[in-house]
Amino acid sequence: MTRHFLRDDDLTQAEQSAILDLAARMKGDRWGEKPLAGPQTVAVIFDKSSTRTRVSFHVGISDLGGSPLVITTANSQLGGKETPSDTARVLERMVSAIVWRTYAQAGLEEMAAGTRVPVVNALSDDFHPCQLLADLLTIREHRGTLAGQTVAFVGDGACNMAHSYLLAGATAGMHVRVAAPAAFSPDPRVVADAERRAAETGGSVLVVTDPVAAVAGADVVVTDTWVSMGKEDEKQARLDTFAGYRVDDELMGHAADDAVFMHCLPADRGFEVTAEVIDGPRSIIWDEAENRLHAQKALLAWLLATNATGGPATATASVSASIATAATSPTA
């Protein structure tokens, strides 16, 4: 059965940790692993505009010895005449993996169903799991560990970032708190899935409406734009609703003294976060942005190695050895 990465809890705690260990090693030796040598091709499909996702996957695939094939719905049949499943059945005969930045999670699930090569969710309306791998790598670099850390997400709890923090954080054994207006609470099904995972890993999940309650004593404070792509017509109403959820120096004052601030970018300074916070000494957003590259390289290498016997994707022995080493190393 082909392994895909469509949502954060597609990985177990041990698998997540192994990928992060591999990412750290790849960051230290950027061109040392070439599992896509050939070069093998990875299809990277964009339904939405992108900066960090486009650059990090393009550069990362090249770093791994491969060839990135960037496709948009404007220059393909996907989203028009052809279904995701038909597109995948064509691509799987020519590429080693498919990466898709899209809207509906259902489209990714349809593409992955029965596909022989790994499908990676580069962002959907429901989840942003590649961003969370980068975020977890960054937290681990600055905090030392993941398990037991408290992370507070403040703002739109119904967005893909909040959902992914719930699932990925719970998988890592973290204590995840989400503060959002009641009308913008996370999907109850995602919360339930996160609670089940937290029960296995020693983490916890808390959803509140009070941002101070969420941030109190937190090790990591996170926010995201209040007006995501496709929500522009709701801008003023959203700005009014979320006005009390801005991350500023006063709110950060309730976090732990050594707490760090994160944002997946792009940021609207003065709205979800003040310039003093995002550009201040607690902010680690540039490390976070860079780590998209390293985390996604490790993810692709892990998927290639894991699926090596089930499809055309192959992995070098050195990557397989790195993964095996990572899997037996102490978890974060």
Side-chain angles (χ1 to χ4, degrees):
M1 180 177 177
T2 305
R3 292 292 299 273
H4 305 288
F5 189 53
L6 306 184
R7 45 185 278 167
D8 307 81
D9 55 353
D10 284 343
L11 302 174
T12 66
Q13 184 179 31
E15 290 169 342
Q16 182 192 76
S17 183
I19 291 170
L20 295 177
D21 285 348
L22 183 56
R25 273 192 285 279
M26 286 183 163
K27 185 173 182 177
D29 183 14
R30 181 169 163 181
W31 296 281
E33 304 287 357
K34 302 289 184 184
L36 287 169
Q40 298 179 55
T41 299
V42 175
V44 190
I45 307 170
F46 291 93
D47 293 346
K48 294 185 176 185
S49 59
S50 170
T51 298
R52 277 150 295 279
T53 299
R54 183 183 296 268
V55 173
S56 58
F57 268 111
H58 192 122
V59 173
I61 291 162
S62 299
D63 283 358
L64 295 175
S67 175
L69 173 62
V70 176
I71 302 170
T72 67
T73 47
N75 64 16
S76 73
Q77 300 292 351
L78 181 62
K81 295 180 179 180
E82 193 162 65
T83 64
S85 56
D86 284 356
T87 297
R89 292 186 70 179
V90 172
L91 291 178
E92 71 178 3
R93 293 169 177 257
M94 305 179 192
V95 305
S96 293
I98 301 169
V99 178
W100 192 10
R101 179 180 174 93
T102 188
Y103 292 91
Q105 183 74 14
L108 281 157
E109 293 169 358
E110 179 185 340
M111 180 172 279
T115 304
R116 293 178 300 165
V117 299
V119 174
V120 173
N121 178 359
L123 177 142
S124 71
D125 288 344
D126 292 342
F127 305 104
H128 200 354
C130 287
Q131 179 67 58
L132 258 292
L133 286 177
D135 283 17
L136 294 180
L137 178 61
T138 309
I139 293 168
R140 202 171 74 161
E141 287 175 346
H142 285 266
R143 303 291 307 176
T145 62
L146 293 176
Q149 298 286 316
T150 297
V151 57
F153 182 94
V154 180
D156 183 357
C159 76
N160 50 18
M161 281 296 292
H163 288 163
S164 277
Y165 256 101
L166 285 165
L167 294 180
T171 297
M174 302 175 77
H175 304 295
V176 185
R177 305 172 184 167
V178 175
F184 291 89
S185 293
D187 186 327
R189 295 168 296 181
V190 175
V191 175
D193 289 341
E195 288 174 338
R196 281 191 288 271
R197 181 56 63 88
E200 300 170 357
T201 64
S204 66
V205 170
L206 176 68
V207 178
V208 296
T209 57
D210 181 4
V212 173
V215 171
D219 303 299
V220 183
V221 179
V222 188
T223 192
D224 191 13
T225 180
W226 295 340
V227 187
S228 298
M229 285 178 284
K231 306 292 185 182
E232 290 82 3
D233 59 337
E234 305 173 14
K235 181 174 182 178
Q236 191 55 56
R238 283 175 166 265
L239 295 182
D240 294 341
T241 299
F242 292 112
Y245 291 82
R246 179 177 294 112
V247 179
D248 54 19
D249 283 336
E250 181 179 355
L251 186 60
M252 286 296 295
H254 294 281
D257 290 342
D258 58 349
V260 294
F261 171 79
M262 302 180 72
H263 191 306
C264 66
L265 302 175
D268 294 317
R269 287 170 173 80
F271 291 99
E272 73 270 12
V273 59
T274 62
E276 290 75 16
V277 171
I278 196 169
D279 298 320
R282 291 186 170 194
S283 176
I284 55 174
I285 61 169
W286 307 121
D287 291 342
E288 179 184 9
E290 178 193 342
N291 281 338
R292 288 291 300 276
L293 171 67
H294 311 299
Q296 289 162 185
K297 285 172 62 177
L299 172 67
L300 285 171
W302 185 87
L303 287 169
L304 290 171
T306 302
N307 291 311
T309 59
T314 59
T316 63
S318 58
V319 167
S320 298
S322 294
I323 292 169
T325 302
T328 58
S329 66
T331 58

